Amino acid sequence: MRILLATAGSRGDVEPFVALAHRAVRAGHEVRLVVPDHSGADLADLDVVSLGVDYSALIAQQGVSPAAAFRSYRSVVKPLMRQVLLGSARAAMDYRPDLLVAHPKILSASVTADALSIPHVLVEIVPAVTPTRAFPAAGTLTRDLGRFNPATYRLASAGEAMFREDLSEVSRMVGSYRRRPAPPAATLLPISPVLLRRPDDWDASVHLTGPWRRDASETVTTEETGFAEGTVSAELARFLAEGDFVYAGFGSMATDDPVARASEVIRGIRSFGARGLIATGLGGLQVPPSLAGEDLLVTPSVPHEAVLPQALAAVHHGGIGTVHAATAAGAVSIPVPFIADQPFWGRRLHEQGLSPAPIPQRRLTAETVTRGLAEAESYRPAVESAARSMASEDGTGAAVQILEALG
Protein backbone atom coordinates (compact mmCIF):
# COMPACT_ATOMS: atom_id res chain seq x y z
CA MET A 1 0.00 0.00 0.00
CA ARG A 2 1.16 3.53 -0.81
CA ILE A 3 0.66 5.80 2.20
CA LEU A 4 1.11 9.56 2.35
CA LEU A 5 1.64 11.00 5.83
CA ALA A 6 1.24 14.78 6.07
CA THR A 7 1.83 16.88 9.16
CA ALA A 8 2.38 20.51 10.10
CA GLY A 9 3.63 22.28 13.21
CA SER A 10 6.67 22.00 15.46
CA ARG A 11 8.78 18.98 16.41
CA GLY A 12 6.04 17.51 18.60
CA ASP A 13 3.73 17.41 15.57
CA VAL A 14 6.35 15.76 13.37
CA GLU A 15 7.98 13.06 15.49
CA PRO A 16 4.87 10.84 15.88
CA PHE A 17 4.49 10.81 12.08
CA VAL A 18 8.19 9.91 11.73
CA ALA A 19 7.71 6.95 14.05
CA LEU A 20 4.61 5.85 12.12
CA ALA A 21 6.46 6.17 8.80
CA HIS A 22 9.30 3.92 9.97
CA ARG A 23 6.91 1.27 11.30
CA ALA A 24 4.80 1.29 8.12
CA VAL A 25 7.92 0.90 5.98
CA ARG A 26 9.03 -2.03 8.16
CA ALA A 27 5.59 -3.57 7.56
CA GLY A 28 6.25 -3.49 3.81
CA HIS A 29 4.38 -0.36 2.74
CA GLU A 30 5.55 2.47 0.51
CA VAL A 31 5.49 5.65 2.58
CA ARG A 32 6.09 9.29 1.79
CA LEU A 33 6.24 11.87 4.57
CA VAL A 34 5.28 15.52 4.00
CA VAL A 35 6.72 17.75 6.73
CA PRO A 36 7.68 21.36 7.49
CA ASP A 37 11.32 22.40 7.24
CA HIS A 38 13.79 22.40 10.16
CA SER A 39 11.49 20.67 12.64
CA GLY A 40 14.40 19.05 14.46
CA ALA A 41 13.02 15.54 13.93
CA ASP A 42 15.35 12.85 12.56
CA LEU A 43 14.16 12.18 9.00
CA ALA A 44 17.00 9.88 7.94
CA ASP A 45 16.13 6.87 5.76
CA LEU A 46 12.65 8.17 4.92
CA ASP A 47 11.08 9.39 1.67
CA VAL A 48 10.45 13.02 2.65
CA VAL A 49 8.89 15.97 0.83
CA SER A 50 9.00 19.52 2.17
CA LEU A 51 5.75 21.23 2.98
CA GLY A 52 7.44 24.51 2.13
CA VAL A 53 6.95 26.16 5.53
CA ASP A 54 9.23 26.61 8.53
CA TYR A 55 7.47 26.72 11.91
CA SER A 56 10.81 26.92 13.75
CA ALA A 57 11.64 30.17 11.94
CA LEU A 58 8.17 31.49 12.73
CA ILE A 59 8.63 30.72 16.44
CA ALA A 60 12.06 32.37 16.41
CA GLN A 61 10.54 35.44 14.76
CA GLN A 62 7.47 36.01 16.92
CA GLY A 63 7.45 33.42 19.70
CA VAL A 64 4.30 31.54 20.63
CA SER A 65 2.15 34.45 21.78
CA PRO A 66 -1.47 34.21 20.58
CA ALA A 67 -1.51 38.01 20.47
CA ALA A 68 1.46 38.02 18.09
CA ALA A 69 -0.26 35.43 15.89
CA PHE A 70 -3.40 37.58 15.79
CA ARG A 71 -1.43 40.70 14.85
CA SER A 72 0.39 38.87 12.07
CA TYR A 73 -2.61 36.90 10.81
CA ARG A 74 -2.76 38.52 7.37
CA SER A 75 0.96 38.98 6.86
CA VAL A 76 2.29 35.69 8.28
CA VAL A 77 -0.30 33.16 9.49
CA LYS A 78 -2.65 33.21 6.50
CA PRO A 79 0.13 32.89 3.87
CA LEU A 80 1.71 30.08 5.89
CA MET A 81 -1.57 28.16 6.13
CA ARG A 82 -2.20 28.69 2.42
CA GLN A 83 1.13 27.02 1.70
CA VAL A 84 0.30 24.18 4.11
CA LEU A 85 -3.01 23.52 2.36
CA LEU A 86 -1.72 23.83 -1.19
CA GLY A 87 1.65 22.18 -0.53
CA SER A 88 0.14 19.09 1.07
CA ALA A 89 -2.45 18.82 -1.72
CA ARG A 90 0.25 19.01 -4.42
CA ALA A 91 2.29 16.36 -2.63
CA ALA A 92 -0.71 14.04 -2.55
CA MET A 93 -1.59 14.58 -6.21
CA ASP A 94 2.04 13.91 -7.20
CA TYR A 95 2.35 10.76 -5.09
CA ARG A 96 -1.10 9.28 -5.81
CA PRO A 97 -1.30 7.30 -2.54
CA ASP A 98 -3.82 4.64 -1.63
CA LEU A 99 -4.33 6.28 1.76
CA LEU A 100 -3.83 9.80 3.10
CA VAL A 101 -3.01 10.24 6.80
CA ALA A 102 -3.05 13.83 8.01
CA HIS A 103 -2.61 16.15 10.98
CA PRO A 104 -5.64 18.38 11.76
CA LYS A 105 -3.72 21.42 10.45
CA ILE A 106 -3.88 19.81 7.00
CA LEU A 107 -7.40 21.13 6.49
CA SER A 108 -7.27 20.21 2.80
CA ALA A 109 -6.88 16.46 3.47
CA SER A 110 -10.53 15.57 2.96
CA VAL A 111 -10.78 17.58 -0.27
CA THR A 112 -7.61 16.02 -1.66
CA ALA A 113 -8.59 12.49 -0.67
CA ASP A 114 -11.98 13.03 -2.31
CA ALA A 115 -10.28 14.06 -5.56
CA LEU A 116 -8.12 10.93 -5.48
CA SER A 117 -11.08 8.69 -4.49
CA ILE A 118 -9.14 7.34 -1.50
CA PRO A 119 -9.87 7.21 2.24
CA HIS A 120 -8.17 9.62 4.58
CA VAL A 121 -7.31 9.30 8.26
CA LEU A 122 -7.29 12.14 10.78
CA VAL A 123 -4.53 12.12 13.40
CA GLU A 124 -5.40 14.07 16.53
CA ILE A 125 -2.10 14.62 18.32
CA VAL A 126 -4.26 16.01 21.14
CA PRO A 127 -8.03 15.53 21.65
CA ALA A 128 -9.32 18.73 20.08
CA VAL A 129 -11.44 17.67 17.09
CA THR A 130 -13.65 14.69 17.96
CA PRO A 131 -16.43 15.91 20.32
CA THR A 132 -17.14 14.20 23.62
CA ARG A 133 -19.04 14.95 26.80
CA ALA A 134 -16.14 13.55 28.86
CA PHE A 135 -13.88 16.63 28.68
CA PRO A 136 -13.55 19.95 26.84
CA ALA A 137 -11.42 20.21 23.71
CA ALA A 138 -7.74 20.45 24.59
CA GLY A 139 -6.60 24.02 24.12
CA THR A 140 -9.93 25.61 25.02
CA LEU A 141 -10.96 25.37 28.67
CA THR A 142 -9.62 23.38 31.58
CA ARG A 143 -12.90 23.50 33.51
CA ASP A 144 -15.22 20.56 32.83
CA LEU A 145 -18.53 21.77 31.33
CA GLY A 146 -20.23 18.39 31.49
CA ARG A 147 -22.92 18.07 28.82
CA PHE A 148 -21.74 21.35 27.27
CA ASN A 149 -18.22 20.04 26.59
CA PRO A 150 -19.04 19.14 22.95
CA ALA A 151 -19.58 22.84 22.19
CA THR A 152 -15.87 23.51 22.79
CA TYR A 153 -14.97 21.35 19.77
CA ARG A 154 -16.58 23.78 17.34
CA LEU A 155 -13.28 25.66 17.18
CA ALA A 156 -12.00 22.94 14.86
CA SER A 157 -14.66 23.75 12.27
CA ALA A 158 -13.96 27.45 12.75
CA GLY A 159 -10.51 26.88 11.30
CA GLU A 160 -12.01 25.74 8.02
CA ALA A 161 -14.13 28.90 7.87
CA MET A 162 -11.04 31.10 8.35
CA PHE A 163 -9.33 29.51 5.36
CA ARG A 164 -12.36 28.95 3.13
CA GLU A 165 -10.81 30.82 0.18
CA ASP A 166 -7.66 28.72 0.33
CA LEU A 167 -9.68 25.50 0.54
CA SER A 168 -11.65 26.60 -2.51
CA GLU A 169 -8.34 27.09 -4.32
CA VAL A 170 -7.31 23.58 -3.32
CA SER A 171 -10.62 22.22 -4.64
CA ARG A 172 -10.06 23.89 -8.00
CA MET A 173 -6.46 22.65 -8.16
CA VAL A 174 -7.27 18.99 -7.42
CA GLY A 175 -10.61 18.96 -9.24
CA SER A 176 -12.86 18.17 -6.30
CA TYR A 177 -16.13 20.09 -6.23
CA ARG A 178 -18.25 18.14 -3.77
CA ARG A 179 -19.86 20.41 -1.22
CA ARG A 180 -19.09 18.03 1.64
CA PRO A 181 -16.12 15.68 1.10
CA ALA A 182 -16.22 12.33 2.87
CA PRO A 183 -15.40 12.35 6.61
CA PRO A 184 -12.28 10.52 7.84
CA ALA A 185 -12.38 6.78 7.45
CA ALA A 186 -10.75 6.65 10.88
CA THR A 187 -9.44 9.00 13.53
CA LEU A 188 -6.27 8.05 15.40
CA LEU A 189 -5.10 9.58 18.66
CA PRO A 190 -1.47 8.62 19.48
CA ILE A 191 -2.11 9.01 23.20
CA SER A 192 -1.66 6.51 26.01
CA PRO A 193 -4.81 5.27 27.78
CA VAL A 194 -2.78 5.80 30.96
CA LEU A 195 -3.09 9.54 30.33
CA LEU A 196 -6.52 9.68 28.71
CA ARG A 197 -9.42 7.32 29.24
CA ARG A 198 -11.30 6.64 26.00
CA PRO A 199 -14.71 8.37 26.18
CA ASP A 200 -17.72 6.10 25.85
CA ASP A 201 -19.40 8.44 23.37
CA TRP A 202 -16.70 8.22 20.69
CA ASP A 203 -17.60 6.40 17.50
CA ALA A 204 -15.98 3.03 16.79
CA SER A 205 -13.88 4.63 14.05
CA VAL A 206 -12.02 6.73 16.67
CA HIS A 207 -8.99 4.89 18.05
CA LEU A 208 -6.87 5.72 21.09
CA THR A 209 -3.80 3.80 19.95
CA GLY A 210 -1.14 4.70 22.49
CA PRO A 211 1.84 6.94 21.65
CA TRP A 212 3.78 6.49 18.41
CA ARG A 213 7.45 5.86 19.17
CA ARG A 214 10.48 4.56 17.32
CA ASP A 215 11.30 0.95 18.11
CA ALA A 216 14.39 0.47 20.28
CA SER A 217 15.69 -2.13 17.81
CA GLU A 218 16.18 0.65 15.25
CA THR A 219 18.93 2.32 17.28
CA VAL A 220 22.60 1.47 17.62
CA THR A 221 24.37 1.91 20.97
CA THR A 222 27.86 3.42 20.93
CA GLU A 223 30.63 2.09 23.16
CA GLU A 224 31.82 5.60 24.11
CA THR A 225 28.57 6.82 25.66
CA GLY A 226 26.47 3.70 26.17
CA PHE A 227 23.52 5.43 24.49
CA ALA A 228 21.94 5.30 21.04
CA GLU A 229 24.25 6.47 18.28
CA GLY A 230 24.01 10.19 17.62
CA THR A 231 21.73 10.95 20.58
CA VAL A 232 23.99 11.68 23.55
CA SER A 233 27.24 13.63 23.50
CA ALA A 234 30.19 12.55 25.62
CA GLU A 235 29.62 15.64 27.80
CA LEU A 236 25.99 14.72 28.44
CA ALA A 237 26.89 11.09 29.08
CA ARG A 238 29.39 12.19 31.77
CA PHE A 239 26.76 14.44 33.37
CA LEU A 240 24.24 11.61 33.50
CA ALA A 241 26.80 9.27 35.04
CA GLU A 242 27.46 11.65 37.92
CA GLY A 243 24.14 10.97 39.65
CA ASP A 244 20.80 12.55 40.44
CA PHE A 245 19.58 15.63 38.59
CA VAL A 246 16.42 17.53 37.66
CA TYR A 247 15.60 18.10 34.00
CA ALA A 248 14.07 21.40 32.90
CA GLY A 249 12.98 22.38 29.41
CA PHE A 250 10.20 24.47 27.89
CA GLY A 251 10.82 23.67 24.23
CA SER A 252 9.61 26.36 21.87
CA MET A 253 7.79 28.44 24.49
CA ALA A 254 9.61 31.60 23.39
CA THR A 255 7.54 34.20 25.20
CA ASP A 256 8.01 36.86 27.89
CA ASP A 257 11.51 36.79 29.45
CA PRO A 258 13.33 33.44 28.98
CA VAL A 259 16.32 34.67 31.04
CA ALA A 260 14.15 35.49 34.08
CA ARG A 261 12.33 32.19 33.63
CA ALA A 262 15.59 30.22 33.54
CA SER A 263 16.84 32.08 36.60
CA GLU A 264 13.78 31.09 38.64
CA VAL A 265 13.96 27.47 37.51
CA ILE A 266 17.67 27.14 38.27
CA ARG A 267 17.33 28.84 41.66
CA GLY A 268 14.48 26.49 42.48
CA ILE A 269 16.47 23.39 41.51
CA ARG A 270 19.47 24.57 43.52
CA SER A 271 17.30 25.36 46.53
CA PHE A 272 15.97 21.81 46.34
CA GLY A 273 19.57 20.59 46.45
CA ALA A 274 19.83 18.97 43.03
CA ARG A 275 21.92 19.36 39.90
CA GLY A 276 20.15 20.74 36.85
CA LEU A 277 20.05 19.67 33.22
CA ILE A 278 18.68 22.65 31.28
CA ALA A 279 17.41 22.29 27.70
CA THR A 280 17.09 25.79 26.24
CA GLY A 281 14.98 24.67 23.26
CA LEU A 282 13.73 27.25 20.76
CA GLY A 283 13.81 30.09 23.25
CA GLY A 284 11.92 28.49 26.13
CA LEU A 285 14.86 29.08 28.47
CA GLN A 286 17.94 31.25 28.21
CA VAL A 287 20.67 30.79 30.81
CA PRO A 288 22.93 33.78 31.51
CA PRO A 289 26.65 33.16 32.23
CA SER A 290 26.18 34.42 35.79
CA LEU A 291 24.21 31.26 36.63
CA ALA A 292 26.81 28.80 35.32
CA GLY A 293 28.19 26.24 37.73
CA GLU A 294 29.50 22.69 38.01
CA ASP A 295 26.04 21.59 39.15
CA LEU A 296 24.50 22.69 35.84
CA LEU A 297 24.64 21.44 32.24
CA VAL A 298 23.03 23.68 29.64
CA THR A 299 22.29 22.28 26.18
CA PRO A 300 19.93 23.18 23.31
CA SER A 301 18.07 19.86 23.47
CA VAL A 302 18.31 16.33 24.82
CA PRO A 303 16.92 12.93 23.78
CA HIS A 304 14.13 12.40 26.29
CA GLU A 305 14.29 8.62 26.08
CA ALA A 306 17.95 8.64 27.19
CA VAL A 307 17.73 11.39 29.82
CA LEU A 308 14.38 11.23 31.57
CA PRO A 309 14.65 7.68 33.00
CA GLN A 310 17.52 8.99 35.13
CA ALA A 311 15.93 12.29 36.18
CA LEU A 312 14.53 12.91 39.66
CA ALA A 313 11.80 15.00 38.06
CA ALA A 314 11.08 16.92 34.88
CA VAL A 315 10.08 20.59 34.93
CA HIS A 316 8.42 21.22 31.56
CA HIS A 317 5.67 23.02 29.66
CA GLY A 318 3.28 20.08 29.52
CA GLY A 319 3.12 19.40 25.80
CA ILE A 320 1.83 15.91 25.05
CA GLY A 321 5.18 14.69 23.68
CA THR A 322 7.04 15.59 26.87
CA VAL A 323 4.18 14.34 29.06
CA HIS A 324 4.38 10.96 27.33
CA ALA A 325 8.17 10.85 27.52
CA ALA A 326 8.37 11.77 31.20
CA THR A 327 5.59 9.41 32.30
CA ALA A 328 6.96 6.51 30.25
CA ALA A 329 10.38 7.13 31.83
CA GLY A 330 8.95 7.09 35.35
CA ALA A 331 9.97 10.72 35.92
CA VAL A 332 7.53 12.86 37.90
CA SER A 333 6.40 15.90 35.91
CA ILE A 334 6.34 19.43 37.32
CA PRO A 335 4.08 20.99 34.65
CA VAL A 336 4.32 24.70 33.87
CA PRO A 337 1.63 25.18 31.18
CA PHE A 338 1.82 28.08 28.72
CA ILE A 339 -0.67 27.73 25.85
CA ALA A 340 -2.80 25.39 23.73
CA ASP A 341 -3.19 21.86 25.14
CA GLN A 342 -0.64 22.30 27.93
CA PRO A 343 -3.12 23.35 30.68
CA PHE A 344 -5.28 20.37 29.68
CA TRP A 345 -2.44 17.89 30.30
CA GLY A 346 -1.27 19.65 33.46
CA ARG A 347 -4.72 19.25 34.94
CA ARG A 348 -5.09 15.62 33.83
CA LEU A 349 -1.71 14.61 35.29
CA HIS A 350 -2.62 16.13 38.65
CA GLU A 351 -6.18 14.74 38.69
CA GLN A 352 -4.83 11.24 38.00
CA GLY A 353 -2.29 11.48 40.80
CA LEU A 354 0.70 11.60 38.46
CA SER A 355 2.07 15.07 39.28
CA PRO A 356 1.84 17.99 41.68
CA ALA A 357 -0.62 20.72 40.72
CA PRO A 358 0.63 22.58 37.62
CA ILE A 359 2.46 25.86 38.16
CA PRO A 360 0.81 28.62 36.12
CA GLN A 361 3.37 30.33 33.90
CA ARG A 362 2.83 33.68 35.64
CA ARG A 363 3.49 32.09 39.04
CA LEU A 364 6.73 30.39 38.11
CA THR A 365 9.22 31.30 40.86
CA ALA A 366 12.14 29.58 42.55
CA GLU A 367 9.83 28.90 45.50
CA THR A 368 7.10 27.23 43.43
CA VAL A 369 9.69 25.10 41.61
CA THR A 370 11.28 24.00 44.89
CA ARG A 371 7.85 23.22 46.36
CA GLY A 372 6.91 21.15 43.32
CA LEU A 373 10.14 19.18 43.48
CA ALA A 374 9.62 18.53 47.19
CA GLU A 375 6.13 17.17 46.46
CA ALA A 376 7.30 15.05 43.54
CA GLU A 377 8.48 12.10 45.63
CA SER A 378 4.95 11.35 46.84
CA TYR A 379 3.83 10.93 43.22
CA ARG A 380 6.69 8.63 42.21
CA PRO A 381 4.96 5.27 42.93
CA ALA A 382 1.98 6.21 40.74
CA VAL A 383 4.23 7.44 37.92
CA GLU A 384 6.37 4.30 38.05
CA SER A 385 3.20 2.19 37.87
CA ALA A 386 2.05 4.24 34.85
CA ALA A 387 5.45 3.72 33.23
CA ARG A 388 5.12 -0.06 33.61
CA SER A 389 1.71 0.07 31.92
CA MET A 390 3.02 2.22 29.07
CA ALA A 391 5.95 -0.15 28.50
CA SER A 392 3.51 -2.77 27.22
CA GLU A 393 1.84 -0.38 24.75
CA ASP A 394 2.61 -0.53 21.04
CA GLY A 395 0.69 2.44 19.72
CA THR A 396 2.67 2.60 16.48
CA GLY A 397 1.97 -1.02 15.67
CA ALA A 398 -1.72 -0.61 16.50
CA ALA A 399 -1.91 2.40 14.17
CA VAL A 400 -0.32 0.47 11.28
CA GLN A 401 -2.82 -2.35 11.74
CA ILE A 402 -5.72 0.12 11.54
CA LEU A 403 -4.28 1.67 8.37
CA GLU A 404 -3.84 -1.76 6.80
CA ALA A 405 -7.49 -2.57 7.46
CA LEU A 406 -8.43 0.50 5.42
CA GLY A 407 -6.18 -0.29 2.46
Tab-separated table of all heavy atoms in Angstrom, residues 9 35-40 49-57:
chain	number	residue	atom	x	y	z
A	9	GLY	N	3.435	21.829	11.839
A	9	GLY	CA	3.633	22.275	13.206
A	9	GLY	C	5.083	22.132	13.622
A	9	GLY	O	5.989	22.057	12.779
A	35	VAL	N	6.452	17.092	5.449
A	35	VAL	CA	6.723	17.749	6.734
A	35	VAL	C	7.226	19.168	6.521
A	35	VAL	O	7.736	19.504	5.465
A	35	VAL	CB	7.789	16.968	7.550
A	35	VAL	CG1	7.285	15.611	7.951
A	35	VAL	CG2	9.083	16.853	6.757
A	36	PRO	N	7.093	20.020	7.556
A	36	PRO	CA	7.682	21.356	7.489
A	36	PRO	C	9.202	21.278	7.574
A	36	PRO	O	9.769	20.259	7.983
A	36	PRO	CB	7.090	22.066	8.713
A	36	PRO	CG	6.714	20.970	9.642
A	36	PRO	CD	6.331	19.803	8.788
A	37	ASP	N	9.861	22.355	7.205
A	37	ASP	CA	11.324	22.402	7.237
A	37	ASP	C	11.835	22.628	8.666
A	37	ASP	O	11.177	23.270	9.482
A	37	ASP	CB	11.841	23.531	6.347
A	37	ASP	CG	11.462	23.336	4.883
A	37	ASP	OD1	11.329	22.163	4.468
A	37	ASP	OD2	11.300	24.341	4.168
A	38	HIS	N	13.036	22.114	8.930
A	38	HIS	CA	13.785	22.403	10.155
A	38	HIS	C	12.990	22.122	11.432
A	38	HIS	O	13.037	22.888	12.388
A	38	HIS	CB	14.255	23.866	10.155
A	38	HIS	CG	15.009	24.248	8.915
A	38	HIS	ND1	14.623	25.289	8.097
A	38	HIS	CD2	16.107	23.703	8.339
A	38	HIS	CE1	15.452	25.388	7.083
A	38	HIS	NE2	16.364	24.434	7.196
A	39	SER	N	12.277	21.010	11.455
A	39	SER	CA	11.487	20.666	12.645
A	39	SER	C	12.364	20.152	13.781
A	39	SER	O	11.947	20.171	14.943
A	39	SER	CB	10.446	19.602	12.300
A	39	SER	OG	11.080	18.353	12.033
A	40	GLY	N	13.537	19.660	13.456
A	40	GLY	CA	14.401	19.054	14.464
A	40	GLY	C	14.237	17.557	14.583
A	40	GLY	O	15.012	16.894	15.263
A	49	VAL	N	9.159	14.818	1.681
A	49	VAL	CA	8.891	15.973	0.832
A	49	VAL	C	8.628	17.173	1.728
A	49	VAL	O	7.924	17.057	2.735
A	49	VAL	CB	7.670	15.720	-0.092
A	49	VAL	CG1	7.275	16.990	-0.816
A	49	VAL	CG2	7.987	14.608	-1.085
A	50	SER	N	9.194	18.312	1.368
A	50	SER	CA	9.000	19.517	2.170
A	50	SER	C	7.612	20.101	1.953
A	50	SER	O	7.115	20.164	0.828
A	50	SER	CB	10.057	20.567	1.798
A	50	SER	OG	9.739	21.816	2.379
A	51	LEU	N	7.023	20.538	3.038
A	51	LEU	CA	5.745	21.232	2.976
A	51	LEU	C	5.924	22.673	2.499
A	51	LEU	O	4.954	23.328	2.091
A	51	LEU	CB	5.087	21.192	4.359
A	51	LEU	CG	3.618	21.554	4.511
A	51	LEU	CD1	2.747	20.692	3.617
A	51	LEU	CD2	3.198	21.397	5.966
A	52	GLY	N	7.158	23.163	2.589
A	52	GLY	CA	7.445	24.515	2.130
A	52	GLY	C	7.197	25.589	3.155
A	52	GLY	O	7.087	26.769	2.815
A	53	VAL	N	7.113	25.191	4.438
A	53	VAL	CA	6.947	26.161	5.526
A	53	VAL	C	7.943	25.811	6.630
A	53	VAL	O	8.406	24.673	6.729
A	53	VAL	CB	5.512	26.173	6.088
A	53	VAL	CG1	4.513	26.583	5.023
A	53	VAL	CG2	5.145	24.814	6.663
A	54	ASP	N	8.255	26.802	7.468
A	54	ASP	CA	9.228	26.609	8.534
A	54	ASP	C	8.654	27.167	9.832
A	54	ASP	O	8.718	28.370	10.095
A	54	ASP	CB	10.538	27.322	8.173
A	54	ASP	CG	11.667	27.006	9.140
A	54	ASP	OD1	11.371	26.598	10.271
A	54	ASP	OD2	12.841	27.174	8.764
A	55	TYR	N	8.066	26.288	10.644
A	55	TYR	CA	7.475	26.720	11.911
A	55	TYR	C	8.549	27.150	12.906
A	55	TYR	O	8.306	28.019	13.742
A	55	TYR	CB	6.625	25.597	12.507
A	55	TYR	CG	5.289	25.438	11.836
A	55	TYR	CD1	5.141	24.612	10.722
A	55	TYR	CD2	4.159	26.108	12.287
A	55	TYR	CE1	3.914	24.458	10.096
A	55	TYR	CE2	2.929	25.956	11.676
A	55	TYR	CZ	2.813	25.137	10.574
A	55	TYR	OH	1.596	24.992	9.943
A	56	SER	N	9.733	26.538	12.837
A	56	SER	CA	10.809	26.919	13.751
A	56	SER	C	11.214	28.372	13.527
A	56	SER	O	11.441	29.126	14.481
A	56	SER	CB	12.018	26.000	13.562
A	56	SER	OG	11.685	24.668	13.893
A	57	ALA	N	11.300	28.775	12.253
A	57	ALA	CA	11.636	30.166	11.944
A	57	ALA	C	10.536	31.103	12.418
A	57	ALA	O	10.815	32.204	12.912
A	57	ALA	CB	11.860	30.325	10.444
